[in-house]
Amino acid sequence: MDTVRLEFGKNLRKIRKLKGFSQEQLAYTAGIDRSYIGKVERGQVNLTIEKLYILAGTLGCSPKDLVPDQSKVGADDSKPRT
Amino acid sequence: MDTVRLEFGKNLRKIRKLKGFSQEQLAYTAGIDRSYIGKVERGQVNLTIEKLYILAGTLGCSPKDLVPDQSKVGADDSKPRT
DNA sequence: ATAGGCCACGGCATATAATACCCATTTGTG
DNA sequence: CACAAATGGGTATTATATGCCGTGGCCTAT
């Protein structure tokens, strides 16, 4: 039920490394706390779309590249929590 | 600096009406308060990706259909706030 | 053996998203 | 016009996103 976070984190990590950023570098240029980047990549937090755009912007990629497709996430993530 | 929210809201409203949902219906089946849906559509809140997936799921569309492209949002939205 | 880059992970404080009410206003329709 | 459905928008409380600071582990090079 939290596969969205996990998949998002995997995407972020992949693109971040692809672009040659360290967590610290990304955090600094994005104006986000370094430990928070780590938490995002580990799927521990549920970030807002504002952060989504800031991250995509500083990584030079599309926000759509970061959000996982529904096929990747559990069906439960697309339903209201019980 | 909040064009992301506004564009997201416009997208949500467009798709919601396209699918024949009222705010109330969408809110109910998504398990979200109706007034909150309205605030999202008016760009008054900064929702999390969890809500993004729940909304996309109940609307039967892709999350990527809801998130606006960078070309739509102000460049400031892709940068850390000062 | 020491130093520095990179990361996992935690606790705590604060800003803000989420939720649940309520009522007023608009919009559509007979 | 009148009536109902749909939406706008306020406020208050709770949950959580976010920031801040620290600890330690793993490498690689010095």
Side-chain angles (χ1 to χ4, degrees):
Chain A
M1 50 169 134
D2 46 16
T3 39
V4 174
R5 308 180 193 180
L6 293 171
E7 290 297 326
F8 184 92
K10 281 164 62 176
N11 286 354
L12 177 63
R13 175 161 301 185
K14 188 194 310 178
I15 296 185
R16 172 177 64 80
K17 294 197 168 176
L18 212 62
K19 301 280 184 171
F21 281 87
S22 73
Q23 286 186 356
E24 218 159 0
Q25 289 170 331
L26 174 58
Y28 179 74
T29 66
I32 301 178
D33 189 72
R34 99 189 123 72
S35 76
Y36 191 64
I37 299 284
K39 290 173 189 173
V40 171
E41 289 192 351
R42 270 174 271 132
Q44 294 183 351
V45 296
N46 206 306
L47 46 75
T48 59
I49 60 175
E50 175 191 309
K51 297 296 173 198
L52 165 61
Y53 277 79
I54 291 180
L55 286 174
T58 66
L59 280 179
C61 71
S62 169
K64 308 194 183 192
D65 294 338
L66 290 174
V67 308
D69 201 50
Q70 303 106 317
S71 56
K72 282 296 217 170
V73 313
D76 304 338
D77 288 315
S78 303
K79 287 193 268 193
R81 50 165 147 196
T82 60
Chain B
M1 52 164 135
D2 46 15
T3 38
V4 173
R5 308 182 193 178
L6 293 171
E7 289 298 325
F8 184 91
K10 280 164 62 176
N11 286 354
L12 176 64
R13 175 161 302 186
K14 187 193 311 178
I15 296 184
R16 172 178 63 81
K17 293 196 168 177
L18 211 63
K19 301 279 184 171
F21 281 87
S22 73
Q23 286 186 357
E24 211 159 5
Q25 290 170 329
L26 174 57
Y28 178 75
T29 65
I32 301 178
D33 189 72
R34 180 196 62 77
S35 75
Y36 189 67
I37 300 284
K39 288 168 190 171
V40 171
E41 290 191 351
R42 270 172 275 130
Q44 293 183 353
V45 296
N46 207 307
L47 76 163
T48 60
I49 59 174
E50 176 191 309
K51 297 296 170 202
L52 165 62
Y53 276 79
I54 291 180
L55 287 173
T58 66
L59 279 179
C61 71
S62 169
K64 308 195 183 192
D65 295 337
L66 291 174
V67 309
D69 202 51
Q70 304 107 316
S71 55
K72 283 295 218 170
V73 313
D76 305 337
D77 289 315
S78 302
K79 286 194 268 194
R81 45 158 144 227
T82 59

